[in-house]
Amino acid sequence: DKSAMANREKVLGIAAGVACSAAVAYLSWTLLKKLLGKEEWEKVGNVASLHVYPIKSCKGIQVQEIQLDKYGAVNDRRFMVIDAGTKRFVSQRQIPKMCMISVKIMGAGSVQLSAPGDDGEEDTYLFKPRVEPLEGEGLVPAGIWDDEVQGVDQGSGVAAWLSLFLEREVQLLGMGATYTRATDSTYTPRTSLAQAAFSDGFPLLLLSNESLEELNGRLGSPV
């Protein structure tokens, strides 16, 4: 009868609407995945060891586990040595003996530096990191590769200690509370909002054992 036909048409109309909505949702999701890039996890190896380098280009610290924040591994490359004149970062590429500076995170957040002294004894320096500039001072602009960042000067005491050992006038910068440095968009997934500390551009850096073995095969003394 007419009532049954009307109900049937109503049901078919609702079903068609649902099907159309589902099709639109599926196509929208497919397009969104295509625009954002497909992300799939794939195992590529096992972690052999973990290391953090509190001061860029100085000795690292092997750890059993790491904590992550938006900049990468906590305590990793949170400080950087810069040339006092040019305000650009310096590393072992320019000053190889930076590898002789050990860094230790002490209680209450203090940082201890140590390096071989002229008398053969270990020379140490302890400083309390600053996250804000001293009153009357501003953030220090500095260059790291193609990036321009702003850091907090860690004081004349640690600068003098580093300058004496490295035989070059340098400063030590730390990351301030408002520090920001976006990763290179060319190599960053479009879904990422990654920030980098003072590392060479990215929050986490990987090195394979095969690469290390290849390097040691070319050296007289393995590292």
Side-chain angles (χ1 to χ4, degrees):
D1 60 8
K2 293 183 178 180
S3 178
M5 288 185 64
N7 287 336
R8 183 180 179 186
E9 290 176 356
K10 185 177 181 180
V11 170
L12 290 174
I14 294 174
V18 171
C20 184
S21 298
V24 171
Y26 174 76
L27 291 174
S28 298
W29 171 241
T30 302
L31 179 60
L32 185 63
K33 287 203 301 181
K34 186 176 181 180
L35 290 174
L36 295 180
K38 188 176 181 181
E39 294 186 2
E40 293 183 355
W41 292 100
E42 179 181 354
K43 182 176 180 179
V44 295
N46 298 309
V47 176
S49 61
L50 296 169
H51 304 259
V52 294
Y53 298 80
I55 299 180
K56 181 179 180 66
S57 233
C58 292
K59 274 188 180 181
I61 304 171
Q62 185 169 353
V63 295
Q64 294 300 311
E65 60 183 21
I66 57 174
Q67 293 181 330
L68 299 176
D69 61 16
K70 68 178 181 179
Y71 300 108
V74 173
N75 291 328
D76 186 58
R77 278 99 167 178
R78 302 306 165 98
F79 300 95
M80 174 175 71
V81 179
I82 65 170
D83 183 276
T86 65
K87 304 300 182 186
R88 288 197 57 81
F89 85 104
V90 294
S91 70
Q92 293 179 32
R93 299 173 182 88
Q94 297 86 33
I95 313 177
K97 66 189 301 187
M98 287 182 72
C99 71
M100 302 171 69
I101 300 176
S102 298
V103 186
K104 185 176 182 180
I105 306 298
M106 309 294 286
S110 295
V111 178
Q112 178 179 283
L113 308 182
S114 59
D118 293 336
D119 57 0
E121 298 293 326
E122 188 175 70
D123 188 16
T124 63
Y125 186 87
L126 185 71
F127 73 97
K128 182 77 172 180
R130 302 172 180 173
V131 295
E132 297 287 350
L134 294 178
E135 186 175 354
E137 296 183 0
L139 294 171
V140 178
I144 172 172
W145 296 116
D146 294 330
D147 295 331
E148 294 296 325
V149 298
Q150 292 190 323
V152 179
D153 186 5
Q154 297 302 300
S156 58
V158 67
W161 188 90
L162 287 168
S163 298
L164 180 63
F165 179 73
L166 298 177
E167 301 177 278
R168 180 170 175 173
E169 290 299 314
V170 297
Q171 292 173 263
L172 183 66
L173 295 189
M175 291 169 53
T178 59
Y179 178 87
T180 180
R181 181 186 173 213
T183 57
D184 189 335
S185 60
T186 305
Y187 307 102
T188 302
R190 281 173 283 186
T191 55
S192 173
L193 299 175
Q195 295 282 322
F198 293 131
S199 56
D200 279 358
F202 295 92
L204 298 173
L205 303 176
L206 304 179
L207 173 67
S208 69
N209 279 336
E210 287 78 5
S211 294
L212 188 58
E213 291 170 1
E214 173 67 20
L215 173 63
N216 282 330
R218 303 184 183 197
L219 299 176
S221 300
V223 296

